[in-house]
Amino acid sequence: MNAAPPFHADPDRVVFDRTELGMILSVYGRFVAAGEWRDYAMSFLRDAAIFSVFRRATEHPLYRIEKRPRLRMAQGAYAVIGMDGRVLKRGHDLAPVLRVLDRKLIRPVD
């Protein structure tokens, strides 16, 4: 019986590493628990890795978390982009970039 060939990452695609994905899924889990988000999608392209979050699967994404390594020396490789296409936060480190979403989760109590 032949073993499956070893997995080799496609060098032509940008991906999130395990640590990055863990941080993103942690934020995603908090929003799911709060009832704000219900679905997500991931895209791995030649120039970007994109994690999109949805309120419903049939809608446009509420937010996109993007990793674009080409921008790492300039504006930073990570960005959170809103539904309207505006860049909400961009930076060199993923954790502070994701904090912009935490502000969206905090609401005043009536």
Side-chain angles (χ1 to χ4, degrees):
M1 196 161 155
N2 291 337
F7 175 78
H8 294 288
D10 186 351
D12 292 334
R13 298 204 186 272
V14 177
V15 296
F16 293 111
D17 65 31
R18 185 180 298 243
T19 304
E20 294 164 339
L21 200 53
M23 284 190 273
I24 293 169
L25 289 173
S26 175
V27 171
Y28 176 78
R30 287 195 304 269
F31 277 86
V32 168
E36 295 291 318
W37 297 348
R38 291 204 175 91
D39 203 4
Y40 71 91
M42 290 189 287
S43 302
F44 303 109
L45 310 172
R46 299 188 97 204
D47 61 341
I50 303 168
F51 187 97
S52 303
V53 294
F54 301 86
R55 185 167 297 144
R56 290 178 195 83
T58 59
E59 295 180 349
H60 293 287
L62 294 173
Y63 299 100
R64 291 188 330 259
I65 301 163
E66 296 187 356
K67 175 183 178 182
R68 294 185 180 270
R70 259 190 224 163
L71 297 177
R72 74 179 172 272
M73 298 305 287
Q75 304 157 337
Y78 303 102
V80 173
I81 300 170
M83 179 185 243
D84 57 358
R86 284 185 304 147
V87 176
L88 302 177
K89 181 84 173 170
R90 184 180 295 276
H92 298 282
D93 189 26
L94 182 58
V97 171
L98 291 175
R99 275 191 220 120
V100 75
L101 294 171
D102 287 337
R103 283 185 243 143
K104 307 285 185 195
L105 192 57
I106 300 170
R107 291 192 204 136
V109 177
D110 293 348

